Amino acid sequence: MIQAPAPPPPSRRRHDREIISLAVPAFGALVAEPLFVMVDSAIVGHLGTPQLAGLAVAAALLTTAVSIFVFLAYATTAAVARRVGAGDLASAIRQGMDGIWLAILLGIAVIAITLPTAPWLVDVFGASDTAAPYAITYLRISSLGIPAMLVVLAATGVLRGLQDTRTPLYVAIGGFAANGALNAGLVYGAGLGIAGSAWGTVIAQVAMAVAYLIVVVRGARRHGASLRPDAAGIRASAQAGVPLLVRTLSLRAVLMIATAVAARLGDTEIAAHQIILSLWSLMAFALDAIAIAGQAIIGRYLGADDAKGAREACRRMVQWGIVSGVVFGALIVLARPLFVPLFTSDQAVQDTLLPALLVVALSQPIAGVVFVLDGVLMGAGDGRYLAWAMLVTLAVFAPVALLVPVIGGGLTALWWAMALMMTVRMVTLWLRTRSGKWIVTGASR
């Protein structure tokens, strides 16, 4: 007689429910973010090629500027989640407000730098003479929305720390819809051209920031948390963010080196690389959703002095990462005949792309472990180790990637170098989690 498989242990079911409830809405919010740029591109593209080229340059600059400050979300999530675990919601929200005030100050500083240097920045990025005026216009107007964008990052971290990923999803959907409507109305209805697209995006971003602030302020009043800026708290938030800033800059350097090497390989290779990188980024969004769940869950367990629960959650999330990576890898292999023609009809690009795509598919289980452990250590507030680990990874990857064109390697060789980079990250993160040194309990690390 065939016996039914034993049901999973209660702790595993509990972890699964937590991971799903946090990761699924987080994935929706993450995917909504790049759609802003896609909507802008679709609307501005009908104005003309110079306008679209200008938007591309300005959007690249803005995306880079904002991605540098993603630590506002990560560090805030970990700090708030710890205090939630300790049962001190007032302190948790107070910690979140420090992150929001830091975001406002950083946003003002970025505006002060961007407005006068916009022409120089656009020139450095190589905009043509016809595209440069549009890039400068879009960059200067859009920079006014950077404080709101950074507030959104910090406030998202607050809500994630409070174990709420649904509100960020709703705000992201509302912001996406508003952005599309405002862009269409201002670009064509009001006849403002590319300036209308920039203003539409700024208004949508400000509206999103206001929505977040309403939620956070209500929570602060409910639990008696102060809303006033606190110099010591803001300074502590900045100090916690520095290691994560180093980590982020190192990761950006890896991606920039890979793109620069692909460009040196030729037009066909860089075109194929861009397609693969877009797909790789989409997979990263999905895996990052599990990492975000990890940040919130691990921080809460450690704040509650539950080291055993943190270890169990970490173990279960690693299993999720591996399974997700295997599934994504299989999907890439099975679906490549369907999605590759959607990106390009150039046979040379397709021929160059396919073997490198198989490397990406094979490395997805590794990526699954990397993203999960990254989230676990962020949730533990182990930013200093993450910074050093990413610097080591960059030191290993850079010479290997730069050797690819020297030894006559192609795009596939470059993506093997990317797979090596992910493997180094996995090893460094695994060694840290295995050591147990990341497990520091209490309301603060």
Side-chain angles (χ1 to χ4, degrees):
M1 181 178 178
I2 299 176
Q3 293 183 341
S11 62
R12 181 182 297 180
R13 291 199 300 269
R14 184 179 71 251
H15 291 315
D16 287 346
R17 286 196 299 269
E18 284 187 327
I19 293 168
I20 292 172
S21 65
L22 291 171
V24 172
F27 174 67
L30 288 169
V31 171
E33 292 173 9
L35 292 178
F36 271 74
V37 177
M38 291 179 63
V39 168
D40 288 4
S41 299
I43 292 174
V44 172
H46 292 285
L47 294 174
T49 300
Q51 289 90 334
L52 184 58
L55 171 64
V57 172
L61 284 163
L62 289 165
T63 301
T64 300
V66 174
S67 66
I68 289 173
F69 298 112
V70 73
F71 70 83
L72 289 167
Y74 294 157
T76 304
T77 297
V80 171
R82 273 185 176 271
R83 285 159 177 78
V84 169
D88 190 353
L89 288 178
S91 178
I93 297 174
R94 173 65 262 179
Q95 183 75 30
M97 284 305 305
D98 292 335
I100 289 173
W101 280 113
L102 176 61
I104 293 171
L105 294 175
L106 289 173
I108 293 171
V110 173
I111 291 176
I113 293 171
T114 304
L115 288 179
T117 62
W120 176 79
L121 290 170
V122 167
D123 183 61
V124 168
F125 263 63
S128 67
D129 291 340
T130 55
Y134 298 109
I136 293 169
T137 296
Y138 191 92
L139 180 60
R140 279 180 165 159
I141 296 173
S142 293
S143 68
L144 300 177
I146 287 179
M149 295 167 73
L150 300 189
V151 166
V152 167
L153 284 177
T156 299
V158 175
L159 295 180
R160 288 173 181 171
L162 294 171
Q163 318 296 298
D164 176 10
T165 56
R166 291 183 179 273
T167 299
L169 173 61
Y170 300 148
V171 174
I173 292 173
F176 170 69
N179 182 61
L182 287 166
N183 270 256
L186 294 175
V187 171
Y188 297 111
L192 296 180
I194 194 169
S197 176
W199 280 117
T201 301
V202 168
I203 294 170
Q205 289 161 348
V206 170
M208 290 174 66
V210 169
Y212 274 116
L213 289 175
I214 289 172
V215 174
V216 173
V217 168
R218 283 178 177 172
R221 289 176 175 169
R222 186 180 309 119
H223 298 286
S226 173
L227 297 172
R228 294 180 179 179
D230 176 68
I234 294 171
R235 186 164 54 250
S237 294
Q239 290 172 346
V242 169
L244 296 180
L245 175 62
V246 172
R247 167 203 168 272
T248 300
L249 290 174
S250 301
L251 182 56
R252 295 293 299 183
V254 165
L255 299 177
M256 289 176 64
I257 290 170
T259 300
V261 170
R264 290 183 62 187
L265 296 175
D267 290 347
T268 299
E269 285 76 8
I270 186 62
H273 175 75
Q274 183 59 35
I275 294 171
I276 296 174
L277 192 61
S278 298
L279 183 65
W280 188 79
S281 298
L282 179 61
M283 299 296 102
F285 277 130
L287 295 173
D288 201 29
I290 304 175
I292 287 170
Q295 293 171 31
I297 292 170
I298 295 297
R300 193 189 72 233
Y301 274 117
L302 294 178
D305 293 323
D306 188 353
K308 179 183 177 182
R311 288 192 186 93
E312 290 178 350
C314 174
R315 190 178 304 115
R316 187 56 179 162
M317 280 183 284
V318 168
Q319 293 170 355
W320 270 76
I322 294 171
V323 171
S324 299
V326 170
V327 171
F328 291 153
L331 284 175
I332 291 172
V333 173
L334 296 175
R336 71 186 190 280
L338 299 176
F339 67 76
V340 169
L342 296 177
F343 286 98
T344 179
S345 57
D346 189 323
Q347 190 61 48
V349 174
Q350 291 187 15
D351 292 342
T352 302
L353 181 152
L354 290 175
L357 202 56
L358 293 177
V359 176
V360 174
L362 290 172
S363 64
Q364 283 304 295
I366 296 173
V369 175
V370 167
F371 276 87
V372 167
L373 294 183
D374 208 37
V376 166
L377 295 183
M378 283 184 189
D382 204 6
R384 189 180 297 274
Y385 183 84
L386 288 172
W388 282 111
M390 198 62 228
L391 286 172
V392 169
T393 301
L394 175 61
V396 173
F397 170 78
V400 174
L402 294 173
L403 275 175
V404 169
V406 175
I407 64 176
L411 187 66
T412 302
L414 174 60
W415 276 93
W416 275 119
M418 289 287 285
L420 171 64
M421 179 270 295
M422 294 300 289
T423 302
V424 173
R425 288 187 72 190
M426 182 182 71
V427 171
T428 56
L429 298 176
W430 177 78
L431 289 173
R432 184 63 167 182
T433 51
R434 185 176 175 83
S435 72
K437 293 179 180 179
W438 58 280
I439 300 178
V440 179
T441 59
S444 60
R445 184 176 173 83

